[in-house]
Amino acid sequence: MQYNKSMASRFLGINLLRVLITGIVIVSAIYSTRVLIKSNEEINRANQMLENALSVQALTRSLLINGYGFLSSGGAEFLQTFYARRDDLDKAFSEYQEGLNYRSDKSKIARKLEQNINSWLLNDIDPRIVARQAAEQSQSAVLSTEAYRFEDFLPGGLKAQLMELVAKEKGHLAKQQQEMQDAIAWVRMVFIGGILMVLFSDLSLSFYATFGITRRVRVLAKAAKRLAKGDLDVDVDINEADEIGALAHSLKQTVERLKHVEVVVRATAAEDFAKQVHVMGLQDQLALSINKMSDSLKRSAAERAEQNWLKSGIADLHFKM
């Protein structure tokens, strides 16, 4: 029997399968970790963008407060703070735009908001400030001012745009946080599932390898015990093409050989010397010995027959004389 799949190759295949499963788990873990890192980076970016949007809103409110303070009281500190906050607002818009895609909706809203605020400052607030400064320089009567509340001082469109910008950043941050939670759940599932998969595959492959060997070894051991007791009615149902399969095939050949020897010995015992054990080679001492014994018994039988014939002939001769 030729066998082309040894036990070593089977174990090698099982170990390669284990390595493959472990590799898949490791790659999945690496990918999941990268997703988690990317989600964390997106959350940090979303936090920064929300801070920039809130900074724009806060600086705009500061402009309102200090502009109203100057128009109401004429205090120079209000005007100084007003221009400082105006410069800060320009920087805040610039920093906010740097973190956005130029073609995104938020970038369009931010650009439009910046244009509207600048237009509002140039066309509405700056002329009021100039008029207030001119009135103070001419020492005329105090300029009558209106009660500029936050809702009234800022045009409704600009207020809505500021709220929309902040709302979009809050929504984006909430979305990124949800994606972060999903990524954490995914990573947890990958790690737990990967560990369970490795354990299950390892146990399954080990059980397959161990059970596949021990089952056939038990069959061979049972057949060998019966054969040792002289029972030649042994059936070894193992047909795998590996070392154990080759051993089972050799055991089957041994059983068939012993059955053949049994037939020859029974025939020899019945003085049927025509049957001979087929000699497999010079090392087949059992077949050579049985055939030699059969030849010896055949000669002995022939000699006995000849002696019996002589005795019978002498007896007949004596009887006739």
Side-chain angles (χ1 to χ4, degrees):
M1 177 182 180
Q2 297 293 329
Y3 60 93
N4 52 14
K5 187 181 291 185
S6 65
M7 295 300 298
S9 64
R10 286 177 182 269
F11 281 111
L12 178 61
I14 290 173
N15 289 327
L16 288 176
L17 186 58
R18 287 174 177 170
V19 171
L20 177 62
I21 294 174
T22 305
I24 292 174
V25 172
I26 291 174
V27 170
S28 300
I30 293 174
Y31 173 76
S32 301
T33 304
R34 291 183 62 183
V35 170
L36 190 62
I37 293 173
K38 184 178 179 181
S39 298
N40 186 60
E41 292 175 351
E42 289 295 327
I43 284 182
N44 293 334
R45 182 172 175 272
N47 274 320
Q48 183 62 44
M49 296 305 296
L50 178 59
E51 289 178 3
N52 290 337
L54 291 173
S55 176
V56 169
Q57 188 181 51
L59 288 171
T60 303
R61 185 181 182 87
S62 180
L63 282 176
L64 297 177
I65 293 173
N66 287 281
Y68 170 71
F70 175 72
L71 293 176
S72 299
S73 65
E77 68 277 4
F78 286 109
L79 186 61
Q80 185 177 6
T81 305
F82 175 82
Y83 285 118
R85 294 295 177 268
R86 194 167 180 173
D87 293 337
D88 293 339
L89 182 62
D90 292 336
K91 293 179 181 179
F93 268 116
S94 178
E95 291 176 356
Y96 182 76
Q97 288 285 5
E98 288 178 358
L100 293 174
N101 184 345
Y102 184 77
R103 297 179 180 272
S104 67
D105 293 337
K106 290 187 292 183
S107 179
K108 294 177 182 178
I109 294 173
R111 290 198 304 273
K112 185 176 180 181
L113 177 62
E114 185 178 13
Q115 293 172 359
N116 291 339
I117 288 178
N118 288 332
S119 176
W120 167 66
L121 291 173
L122 291 173
N123 299 327
D124 189 14
I125 303 303
D126 287 347
R128 293 173 184 267
I129 291 175
V130 171
R132 179 67 166 138
Q133 289 175 328
E136 288 186 352
Q137 290 176 358
S138 62
Q139 296 181 351
S140 61
V142 178
L143 183 67
S144 61
T145 60
E146 302 175 3
Y148 290 109
R149 297 192 304 274
F150 179 74
E151 292 80 6
D152 299 329
F153 197 82
L154 187 66
L158 294 181
K159 180 182 177 183
Q161 288 177 343
L162 279 170
M163 293 178 65
E164 181 183 7
L165 190 66
V166 173
K168 281 185 174 294
E169 291 301 338
K170 288 182 178 180
H172 180 67
L173 177 60
K175 179 181 177 182
Q176 293 301 322
Q177 289 174 339
Q178 182 60 46
E179 291 181 356
M180 182 68 171
Q181 294 298 324
D182 295 340
I184 292 174
W186 168 256
V187 170
R188 186 183 297 114
M189 182 183 67
V190 167
F191 276 102
I192 296 176
I195 292 173
L196 292 177
M197 183 183 296
V198 170
L199 290 176
F200 177 76
S201 62
D202 191 65
L203 290 175
S204 300
L205 294 174
S206 298
F207 176 78
Y208 167 76
T210 304
F211 180 76
I213 294 173
T214 56
R215 179 187 64 84
R216 294 181 293 164
V217 169
R218 284 197 299 267
V219 171
L220 288 175
K222 184 177 179 180
K225 286 182 180 180
R226 292 177 59 185
L227 189 61
K229 293 179 180 179
D231 184 3
L232 299 182
D233 189 16
V234 176
D235 183 20
V236 183
D237 187 17
I238 297 176
N239 299 309
E240 284 81 359
D242 55 13
E243 287 87 345
I244 296 180
L247 180 60
H249 182 69
S250 298
L251 185 60
K252 291 178 183 179
Q253 287 183 325
T254 301
V255 171
E256 294 299 324
R257 179 75 168 167
L258 291 174
K259 288 181 178 180
H260 173 62
V261 170
E262 180 189 16
V263 170
V264 173
V265 171
R266 287 180 182 273
T268 302
E271 295 188 354
D272 180 8
F273 304 109
K275 296 184 181 296
Q276 292 284 314
V277 179
H278 179 67
V279 179
M280 303 297 293
L282 297 177
Q283 296 179 346
D284 192 357
Q285 296 298 322
L286 178 61
L288 292 173
S289 299
I290 291 175
N291 289 339
K292 185 177 180 180
M293 180 187 68
S294 178
D295 292 339
S296 298
L297 291 174
K298 183 178 180 180
R299 288 193 298 269
S300 297
E303 290 175 357
R304 285 199 310 272
E306 184 178 355
Q307 290 175 359
N308 290 336
W309 178 80
L310 288 174
K311 290 179 181 180
S312 176
I314 293 173
D316 288 341
L317 182 61
H318 279 263
F319 177 75
K320 290 179 180 181
M321 290 180 64

